[in-house]
């Protein structure tokens, strides 16, 4: 029962970055049918006792999220994400959403039936352009507009057992243990409807549809890398069976790229705006990812982001990943990543810190100490100044 409740409020997975060729499907896939469920009028109020009860439950979840220590309250980041949502769905309709950003590694986003939109930092880390962000936001807003949560809720009530229904009717329905949870266990048809609605909105806003499939490709590449690292079967195999609540990623890649092929050239990616808006947060999000102890997925993710953005901070992050992995040959690889980052005119000081630490590990003591001295010169107020100074035999 606990597992079902968790699935009921698990976040809707949405998008981010090209690293693999498109996975082939057994036959060409036609795009999903046009939307069949009506959209709500904005502003919208719940109708009937069922929907009113669902909103009340989500109001309680929203209260907990507002008080969560995982909540990111950066006004600039909030304003940026809202501006992208409003461009995507329209200035009038975007007022229905109250946006929350959670500091958690799960790459998800969701929008609840009461208008609460939740975006995880793990999702923001996985995407590299404003167009990809718009695709995520448009998809989630479509779930809200089409009242998918209520429709799915009614399906569960109709098909579920009495015990299951009772478990869903009280405050326990949406009780959450952390801010990482939200609504999304919709049917595959609802997910397809949200996908196609989001693609339409994206095109109307002038964003490049060619960006949409990138996150899905990256997720698959990460699953495969995790499987190789942990010597087990990849989730890709299970996903291709499409036996869950979402269409298989191969299907979503196919129909989103088919729609992108119809778009005239010149649509906007907004890559530079996205990177500028997230620049101050990315080092922390990358550190969170590395702490997951999933070397295979993290390596694929950081490499893909580095390839698309060229950011020296991502080279430093990859150096940190290999330094923490600490398998034979990893320190040498980490040294190479740090050195590549250090050649950039806007290299972060952490490039010299990381290289100094790995060179000490490699027995290159003088070179390591020189790098750490350089790091301290570049970062006079470094929080680890005392420890670094001790390592090079100097007074803090």
């Amino acid at each position: 029962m606990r597992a079902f409740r968790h699935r009921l409020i698990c976040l809707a997975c949405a998008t981010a970055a090209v690293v693999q060729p498109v996975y082939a499907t057994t036959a060409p896939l036609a795009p999903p049918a046009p939307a069949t469920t009506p959209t709500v009028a904005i502003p919208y109020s719940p109708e009937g006792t069922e929907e009113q009860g669902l909103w009340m439950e989500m109001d309680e979840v929203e209260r907990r999220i507002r008080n969560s220590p995982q909540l990111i309250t950066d006004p600039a980041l909030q304003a940026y994400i809202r501006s992208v949502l409003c461009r995507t769905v329209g200035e009038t309709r975007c007022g229905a959403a109250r946006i929350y950003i959670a500091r958690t590694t799960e790459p998800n986003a969701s929008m609840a039936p009461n208008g609460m939109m939740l975006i995880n930092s793990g999702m923001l880390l996985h995407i590299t352009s404003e167009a990809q962000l718009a695709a995520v936001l448009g998809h989630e807003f479509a779930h809200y507009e089409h009242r998918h949560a209520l429709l799915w809720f009614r399906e569960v009530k109709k098909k579920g057992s009495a015990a299951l229904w009772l478990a869903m009717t009280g405050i326990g329905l949406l009780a959450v243990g952390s801010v990482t949870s939200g609504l999304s266990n919709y049917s595959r048809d609802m997910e397809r409807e949200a996908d196609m609605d989001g693609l339409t909105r994206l095109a109307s806003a002038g964003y490049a549809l060619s960006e949409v499939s990138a996150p899905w490709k990256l997720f698959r590449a990460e699953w495969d890398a995790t499987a190789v690292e942990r010597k087990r079967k990849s989730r890709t195999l299970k996903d291709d069976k499409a036996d869950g609540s979402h269409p298989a990623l191969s299907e979503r890649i196919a129909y989103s790229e088919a729609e992108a092929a119809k778009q005239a050239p010149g649509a906007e990616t907004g890559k530079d705006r996205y990177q500028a808006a997230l620049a101050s947060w990315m080092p922390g999000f990358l550190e969170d990812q590395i702490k997951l102890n999933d070397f295979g997925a993290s390596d694929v993710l950081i490499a893909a982001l580095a390839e698309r953005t060229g950011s020296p901070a991502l080279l430093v992050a990859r150096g940190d990943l290999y330094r923490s992995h600490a398998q034979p040959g990893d320190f040498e690889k980490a040294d190479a990543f740090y050195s590549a980052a250090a050649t950039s005119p806007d290299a972060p000081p952490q490039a010299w810190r990381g290289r100094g630490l790995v060179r000490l590990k490699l027995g290159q003591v003088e070179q390591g100490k020189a790098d750490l001295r350089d790091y301290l010169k570049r970062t006079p107020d470094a929080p680890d100044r005392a420890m670094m100074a001790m390592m090079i035999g100097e007074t803090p």
Side-chain angles (χ1 to χ4, degrees):
M1 189 65 69
R2 180 181 298 175
F4 177 83
R5 292 181 187 174
H6 177 74
R7 288 196 301 274
L8 176 64
I9 56 177
C10 125
L11 287 174
C13 199
T15 42
V18 174
V19 293
Q20 296 273 331
V22 178
Y23 284 75
T25 52
T26 54
L29 288 165
T36 56
T37 56
T39 57
V40 298
I42 302 293
Y44 175 73
S45 298
E47 301 174 353
T49 55
E50 277 182 336
E51 192 170 18
Q52 289 168 358
L54 190 58
W55 276 48
M56 288 178 62
E57 296 284 3
M58 290 313 304
D59 286 344
E60 171 60 19
V61 172
E62 186 173 356
R63 182 191 67 78
R64 299 183 193 184
I65 287 173
R66 282 198 301 267
N67 295 324
S68 170
Q70 292 173 272
L71 199 63
I72 294 174
T73 57
D74 180 356
L77 185 58
Q78 286 268 353
Y80 172 69
I81 291 176
R82 177 163 291 281
S83 72
V84 177
L85 174 66
C86 290
R87 173 174 168 174
T88 306
V89 305
E91 291 289 338
T92 301
R93 299 187 78 75
C94 76
R98 297 177 302 284
I99 299 173
Y100 299 89
I101 310 167
R103 181 76 178 264
T104 181
T105 55
E106 193 174 357
N108 288 325
S110 69
M111 189 165 179
N114 69 339
M116 173 187 67
M117 179 175 278
L118 183 63
I119 304 161
N120 287 0
S121 60
M123 177 57 76
L124 297 177
L125 177 62
H126 274 73
I127 59 183
T128 57
S129 71
E130 190 170 294
Q132 291 175 12
L133 175 62
V136 173
L137 301 178
H139 175 97
E140 298 308 333
F141 199 85
H143 280 311
Y144 167 80
E145 284 190 306
H146 291 281
R147 302 168 80 195
H148 284 163
L150 177 63
L151 297 175
W152 182 81
F153 187 73
R154 286 173 175 167
E155 279 298 301
V156 173
K157 178 182 176 182
K158 183 171 66 175
K159 296 179 180 179
S161 65
L164 176 60
W165 174 239
L166 288 172
M168 294 171 56
T169 52
I171 192 67
L173 166 65
L174 293 169
V176 290
S178 75
V179 78
T180 62
S181 298
L183 282 163
S184 83
N185 208 8
Y186 307 118
S187 73
R188 287 193 292 275
D189 286 341
M190 290 178 185
E191 290 296 337
R192 293 185 183 105
E193 185 173 62
D195 282 343
M196 297 309 291
D197 191 295
L199 288 169
T200 300
R201 296 272 193 188
L202 206 64
S204 297
Y207 286 119
L209 298 184
S210 58
E211 293 286 294
V212 174
S213 64
W216 294 325
K217 293 176 181 178
L218 181 56
F219 291 144
R220 291 183 66 122
E222 289 182 54
W223 295 346
D224 291 345
T226 296
V228 170
E229 177 74 13
R230 297 180 178 176
K231 296 179 174 61
R232 67 187 189 194
K233 289 184 178 179
S234 174
R235 284 175 56 193
T236 300
L237 300 174
K238 181 178 180 181
D239 175 75
D240 278 334
K241 297 177 183 177
D243 56 356
S245 61
H246 289 65
L249 291 188
S250 55
E251 178 187 349
R252 302 177 91 171
I253 290 167
Y255 62 63
S256 64
E257 293 195 337
E259 292 301 303
K262 303 173 187 177
Q263 190 178 39
E268 209 177 348
T269 66
K271 183 178 78 170
D272 292 342
R273 285 194 302 272
Y274 182 81
Q275 291 176 14
L278 273 293
S280 64
W281 285 99
M282 280 299 176
F285 295 168
L286 287 164
E287 184 179 349
D288 294 344
Q289 175 68 31
I290 292 170
K291 288 178 180 176
L292 288 176
N293 196 29
D294 187 347
F295 175 79
S298 296
D299 192 33
V300 164
L301 168 62
I302 297 171
L305 297 180
E307 181 180 346
R308 292 205 65 176
T309 67
S311 167
L314 287 159
L315 291 170
V316 172
R318 207 167 181 204
D320 290 343
L321 177 66
Y322 275 83
R323 180 166 58 86
S324 64
H325 194 231
Q327 296 300 304
D330 282 350
F331 290 147
E332 289 83 356
K333 292 176 183 176
D335 185 291
F337 289 126
Y338 292 130
S339 295
T343 64
S344 173
D346 57 346
Q350 286 73 19
W352 286 269
R353 179 188 184 276
R355 190 170 67 177
L357 292 174
V358 296
R359 286 182 172 178
L360 290 177
K361 290 285 189 181
L362 290 168
Q364 302 170 12
V365 177
E366 292 308 314
Q367 297 97 316
K369 288 183 176 181
D371 276 336
L372 294 180
R373 289 190 191 96
D374 206 341
Y375 163 67
L376 292 176
K377 287 178 184 176
R378 293 167 184 269
T379 319
D381 57 348
D384 56 355
R385 168 169 285 275
M387 182 177 71
M388 295 296 107
M390 181 183 70
M391 294 182 74
I392 60 179
E394 295 182 1
T395 303

